[in-house]
Amino acid sequence: MARSNRNGNRVKRPDFMALALEEAAAAARRGEVPVGAVIASGSTVVARAGNRTRELADPTAHAEMLAIREACARLASERLTGQDLYVTLEPCAMCAGAISFARLRRLYFGAADEKGGAVINGVRFFASPTCHHTPDVYPGLGESEAALILKDFFREKREA
């Protein structure tokens, strides 16, 4: 997507889902479930991360959680209002809770997760009456690429 800067020159906006897919591929190379996340503000990347649950021996080290922690630290705030999250897989209940508490403005995700997802599948966290904040949700962005990375990863695990 291109837009003009102050000088009238065309400037290409970063493809945040492509960056999240890069993080997912890096996670796969580390032997992690290939999920990547990017938090953006306007045309600026605030934080990016891939799953590191095995590396850190931490079940909370999902890509979304790591990106939220990094963005909060970088912005010195527990609130990420005005920020958008791009993630390659539908967030689980834990990550949906963190997204809500962080007050992220928008959530874009790639592949749906029928088993572990909690946004359009499972508990549908943001539809819960106890949910503090609901971001605007845009599913299916980069869905085929995200699904392919996951399918390839798990196929290679089964064949190994």
Side-chain angles (χ1 to χ4, degrees):
M1 174 184 297
R3 60 188 175 96
S4 298
N5 65 11
R6 287 187 229 177
N7 300 328
N9 299 326
R10 298 297 283 172
V11 177
K12 186 173 178 171
R13 180 181 174 144
D15 182 347
F16 299 119
M17 186 54 79
L19 297 176
L21 288 163
E22 287 176 12
E23 290 293 335
R29 288 190 298 274
R30 292 190 303 271
E32 302 278 359
V33 174
V35 178
V38 170
I39 295 178
S41 177
S43 61
T44 303
V45 172
V46 178
R48 56 190 287 178
N51 274 359
R52 292 185 181 276
T53 59
R54 298 186 75 160
E55 175 186 336
L56 299 175
D58 179 356
T60 71
H62 290 196
E64 302 97 317
M65 300 293 285
L66 296 172
I68 288 169
R69 289 174 188 150
E70 181 183 333
C72 287
R74 188 167 284 165
L75 298 173
S77 175
E78 78 282 9
R79 299 282 189 254
L80 299 174
T81 53
Q83 314 296 310
D84 300 330
L85 173 63
Y86 295 78
V87 62
T88 58
L89 183 65
E90 177 182 356
C92 68
M94 174 184 67
C95 293
I99 290 163
S100 176
F101 281 112
R103 307 296 197 268
L104 283 155
R105 178 178 61 177
R106 293 185 191 115
L107 166 64
Y108 299 87
F109 69 86
D113 185 353
E114 291 179 11
K115 186 175 179 182
V119 178
I120 61 173
N121 289 291
V123 299
R124 298 182 182 194
F125 185 89
F126 299 127
S128 169
T130 59
C131 179
H132 294 277
H133 166 78
T134 301
D136 295 330
V137 177
Y138 301 91
L141 183 65
E143 181 175 15
S144 58
E145 299 93 332
L148 183 61
I149 289 172
L150 287 159
K151 286 176 186 173
D152 287 349
F153 176 81
F154 287 112
R155 186 188 72 250
E156 288 173 17
K157 288 287 187 192
R158 283 189 304 275
E159 292 172 357

